[in-house]
Amino acid sequence: MTGNKGVAYIKPGQVEVTEIDYPTFELKDGPGVHPDNVGRKVPHAAIVKCVATNICGSDQHMVRGRTTAPAGLILGHEITGEVVEKGPDVEYVQVGDMVSVPFNISCGRCINCKEGKTGVCLNVNPDRPGSAYGYVDMGGWVGGQAEYVMVPYADWNLLVFPDRDQAMEKILDLAMLADIFPTGYHGCVSAGVTTGSTAYIAGAGPVGLAAATSAQLLGAATVIVGDLQEERLAQARSFGCETVDVSAGEPKDQIEQILGTPEVDCGVDAVGFEARGHGEHAATEHPATVLNSLMDLTRAGGALGIPGLYVTGDPGASDEAAQEGSLSIRLGLGWAKSHSFVTGQCPVMRYNRKLMMAILNDRVQIAKNVNATPIPLGESPRGYEEFDEGAARKYVLDPHGMLV
């Protein structure tokens, strides 16, 4: 037995590193744990030493107080690490394996898992389909912004890296496999990005930059990224993207200057429910802005990939409808243009092995493109603060000092 520390959500605007229990093969009571999950035995689990664990924009929604997350919730769903212990029912994963942990928790047994829809597993969250580590309303599985974390259904969930030394050489790239790289890729696949496509990515945060990288990997002819912050747009330009400053007005006008037409083949929403307006409305939140603008600027017959997070409960929303996730969507416009929409959690396991091989064979430099920046676990409050201020970085927590 050893000690453990984790990053806890305390109240809006505050996180702190605190002593927490070392994980066991049983889900215990705690902040956010569903009562039906308390005492759940997990002999199929592995204990993972967290080598790299990232701060995500989805975490930031909770820390801003924009969800119903309870105080004391241990955060973190982007986990990469080493197996240090395995339960008696784990057959294939071995102690010492270096692994990526998909942020979706899935059982591998239900109809959705068997169809590859691991983002909506039916057996791990008593509240509703779908689960994740350290996240509000996701069943209460303890988060991985910690020194150690328990991963259930280890043989199913864990992606084992083929070589430890190679994995450590590329650890910052591989750390993106837990969430943002597959999520960005899923957004592009859902939007139909392929050879010769023109693609518009709304949002130049880490997921948006990962989506832009994915669009290039998929063969897009032109990738355009829109955002309000120049530092983030500069990061997108650093690896060959065109950019649009939406604080200057509607993106379609600037897209026309780039392409000669105001429409693209494929649109990706990497912003979600805290979207701000465009142009003169950029200082205030307009949660339907991105979805409506994507319908406007995506050509008829095109598709929208929507990996950006939308919630059913937002206590910080400006009106009662938005507090329940009801937005003023121009569905008629999307219908008239025969758009396809794909929403929801990315099913990480559908993509992570292929993207791992792209990383290991030097086909992509995702860590460079998202500006992955390691910091010690103890500096996580600073990471959250700077990320909230719009830093063009993907903060990677380093609980054991292994990333420097």
Side-chain angles (χ1 to χ4, degrees):
M1 182 67 71
T2 184
N4 196 15
K5 294 180 180 179
V7 180
Y9 166 67
I10 304 302
K11 62 181 182 180
Q14 182 180 350
V15 300
E16 65 180 39
V17 179
T18 183
E19 295 286 340
I20 62 174
D21 290 339
Y22 185 83
T24 65
F25 297 104
E26 178 180 330
L27 192 56
K28 299 178 181 179
D29 198 7
V33 180
H34 192 283
D36 291 346
N37 263 352
V38 175
R40 185 170 181 162
K41 307 293 184 183
V42 284
H44 43 70
I47 309 302
V48 172
K49 176 182 179 180
C50 301
V51 173
T53 176
N54 311 336
I55 296 175
C56 180
S58 298
D59 300 318
Q60 199 68 269
H61 294 309
M62 290 186 288
V63 174
R64 289 180 184 136
R66 298 300 296 270
T67 71
T68 56
L73 183 71
I74 302 303
L75 303 169
H77 56 270
E78 299 191 16
I79 307 160
T80 308
E82 176 186 0
V83 175
V84 294
E85 190 176 353
K86 65 176 188 172
D89 291 352
V90 178
E91 185 175 1
Y92 302 111
V93 169
Q94 301 298 326
V95 171
D97 283 344
M98 293 290 292
V99 295
S100 177
V101 183
F103 79 89
N104 321 111
I105 302 174
S106 57
C107 72
R109 295 153 168 80
C110 70
I111 184 172
N112 282 347
C113 285
K114 289 182 177 182
E115 291 180 349
K117 301 170 184 174
T118 55
V120 281
C121 174
L122 301 175
N123 288 332
V124 289
N125 182 2
D127 269 330
R128 63 189 186 195
S131 188
Y133 304 89
Y135 211 84
V136 59
D137 296 333
M138 289 293 181
W141 301 88
V142 178
Q145 286 175 14
E147 293 175 324
Y148 298 91
V149 69
M150 181 265 286
V151 176
Y153 303 103
D155 279 330
W156 166 254
N157 281 305
L158 292 177
L159 174 67
V160 179
F161 302 141
D163 181 84
R164 179 187 179 86
D165 291 340
Q166 185 186 32
M168 289 306 300
E169 288 176 3
K170 298 179 178 292
I171 192 65
L172 288 181
D173 293 286
L174 295 172
M176 304 304 130
L177 292 173
D179 183 354
I180 67 164
F181 196 8
T183 293
Y185 194 86
H186 178 60
C188 290
V189 169
S190 301
V193 178
T194 188
T195 305
S197 298
T198 55
Y200 175 71
I201 315 295
V207 171
L209 296 172
T213 302
S214 299
Q216 293 176 338
L217 192 60
L218 287 163
T222 306
V223 180
I224 306 171
V225 179
D227 202 275
L228 296 162
Q229 299 198 29
E230 172 54 30
E231 184 182 4
R232 288 183 166 185
L233 292 174
Q235 184 64 28
R237 289 193 295 271
S238 74
F239 58 96
C241 299
E242 301 284 348
T243 59
V244 162
D245 179 359
V246 298
S247 70
E250 289 299 321
K252 65 182 299 182
D253 299 329
Q254 297 172 66
I255 288 171
E256 185 170 21
Q257 295 176 15
I258 296 168
L259 297 178
T261 174
E263 293 185 323
V264 295
D265 300 317
C266 314
V268 177
D269 175 2
V271 178
F273 73 104
E274 288 193 65
R276 294 185 177 273
H278 296 155
E280 63 184 12
H281 303 293
T284 56
E285 284 191 13
H286 295 267
T289 295
V290 170
L291 292 172
N292 287 332
S293 69
L294 285 177
M295 286 187 280
D296 193 28
L297 62 82
T298 301
R299 66 172 173 82
L304 277 60
I306 309 172
L309 175 67
Y310 288 87
V311 295
T312 56
D314 175 11
S318 58
D319 60 71
E320 291 184 6
Q323 289 174 8
E324 297 181 350
S326 296
L327 309 180
S328 298
I329 304 298
R330 296 184 64 192
L331 187 58
L333 175 60
W335 189 95
K337 297 178 79 172
S338 293
H339 284 157
S340 299
F341 300 77
V342 176
T343 66
Q345 286 188 38
C346 164
V348 170
M349 294 173 68
R350 189 178 299 175
Y351 309 107
N352 62 350
R353 185 185 181 279
K354 295 177 182 179
L355 295 176
M356 175 189 75
M357 295 304 293
I359 289 169
L360 295 179
N361 288 281
D362 299 319
R363 293 297 305 275
V364 65
Q365 293 182 303
I366 182 65
K368 178 182 177 182
N369 290 2
V370 302
N371 197 14
T373 304
I375 60 173
L377 186 70
E379 294 184 18
S380 55
R382 173 177 68 85
Y384 271 96
E385 181 180 357
E386 293 179 1
F387 188 35
D388 191 48
E389 292 171 351
R393 298 179 181 274
K394 177 66 173 177
Y395 285 102
V396 181
L397 303 182
D398 183 6
H400 297 277
M402 299 176 68
L403 303 183
V404 179

